[in-house]
Amino acid sequence: MKRGLQITTILLLISISCVFGQFKYGADLYSRYIWRGMDCGNSPAIQPSVTYSFCGFSVGFWGSYSLAETTNPADNKKSTYSENDFIASYTLNLAKSGSVSVYFTDYYTPYTGRPFSYYKPENGSGAAHTLEPGIGYTGPEKLPVSIIYYQNVSNDPDNSAYIQAAYPFTINETTLTLSAGYVTKKSSYYYADQAGFINLGINVAKSIPVTEKFSIPINVSYINNPALDVSYLVFGLGFTF
């Protein structure tokens, strides 16, 4: 009887945690917004986010807004890059074997001037959204390697696929993460003429304590894109509550 009561209590606590979940919100500031080896905006950017997590599920919004105008060399027009994404995921923990996650992202770019409702090309203009599902695996604490596969399913004639592997390790309270991103075929979306690596990087991250209860995470990334023959050095800091 007592054991049954304990099990019931545990299930009730799990149910309560699932119902109420947890909010996280904040903003990051980056010297450049580099996404998968590509410079989005050629400007410092502020990146707000809000996420609600419950029972392995996570839903939220993430954005990036450039702090300066840039000129597009394709049409010589000035614009300020902006992006506003909807992101959803579910993570299944496999105990000592790591975890498996599925992802869905709706990328929306207001700076193009296309209305939010343009999920399909209209009036001679491209769609305002790109939809991308993905699936990934993260190893256990002893081998925390992660591998994620993403593929565009809309607004991309090539249906581009992107694979990224990463491995973090710690040295003197500083986390170093090595990563490599690869496109599986020619992709106009990723400006790649053929299959190959487009995003090779190392990220160095550490939290700087301000008070006993508050610290500011900072990071520096060196990123190389062999397909575009370009590299970047990016600084970022974040505030999450």
Side-chain angles (χ1 to χ4, degrees):
M1 184 72 177
K2 185 179 292 186
R3 183 176 178 80
L5 180 61
Q6 290 175 341
I7 293 174
T8 301
T9 302
I10 292 172
L11 292 175
L12 179 60
L13 291 174
I14 293 174
S15 299
I16 291 174
S17 67
C18 286
V19 170
F20 290 100
Q22 181 180 16
F23 274 104
K24 285 187 177 181
Y25 51 91
D28 298 328
L29 181 64
Y30 277 88
S31 59
R32 284 291 185 276
Y33 170 28
I34 307 299
W35 180 76
R36 298 181 185 174
M38 299 181 293
D39 188 339
C40 301
N42 191 30
S43 162
I46 187 168
Q47 300 177 340
S49 63
V50 58
T51 304
Y52 180 66
S53 302
F54 58 102
C55 291
F57 290 94
S58 178
V59 294
F61 296 92
W62 179 93
S64 184
Y65 298 88
S66 293
L67 301 180
E69 278 190 339
T70 58
T71 301
N72 187 339
D75 54 18
N76 205 35
K77 291 183 179 179
K78 289 187 176 181
S79 65
T80 303
Y81 185 88
S82 57
E83 180 180 332
N84 180 0
D85 306 333
F86 169 76
I87 302 172
S89 67
Y90 174 73
T91 298
L92 176 64
N93 289 315
L94 305 174
K96 296 181 180 180
S97 300
S99 63
V100 174
S101 301
V102 291
Y103 307 92
F104 174 79
T105 304
D106 177 348
Y107 298 96
Y108 169 54
T109 48
Y111 83 101
T112 62
R114 297 163 186 158
F116 181 83
S117 59
Y118 280 22
Y119 273 86
K120 294 182 178 180
E122 296 187 27
N123 302 328
S125 174
H129 300 255
T130 300
L131 306 182
E132 177 197 73
I135 185 168
Y137 168 78
T138 300
E141 186 176 351
K142 292 182 179 180
L143 186 63
V145 63
S146 64
I147 301 175
I148 307 176
Y149 175 89
Y150 299 102
Q151 183 162 4
N152 292 338
V153 295
S154 75
N155 200 29
D156 177 6
D158 299 319
N159 291 125
S160 305
Y162 175 83
I163 304 171
Q164 180 163 304
Y167 185 82
F169 55 97
T170 303
I171 300 177
N172 297 330
E173 299 183 353
T174 298
T175 300
L176 282 75
T177 302
L178 302 177
S179 61
Y182 182 88
V183 289
T184 60
K185 60 180 180 179
K186 179 180 178 180
S187 168
S188 58
Y189 185 83
Y190 288 110
Y191 303 100
D193 294 331
Q194 59 186 358
F197 289 100
I198 64 169
N199 183 21
L200 303 176
I202 179 169
N203 176 271
V204 181
K206 185 174 184 178
S207 290
I208 305 299
V210 179
T211 67
E212 291 184 358
K213 296 183 178 180
F214 181 72
S215 60
I216 300 176
I218 64 172
N219 68 87
V220 175
S221 297
Y222 175 79
I223 302 164
N224 179 265
N225 185 332
L228 297 179
D229 194 19
V230 65
S231 65
Y232 309 94
L233 187 63
V234 180
F235 171 81
L237 57 85
F239 302 90
T240 303
F241 305 94

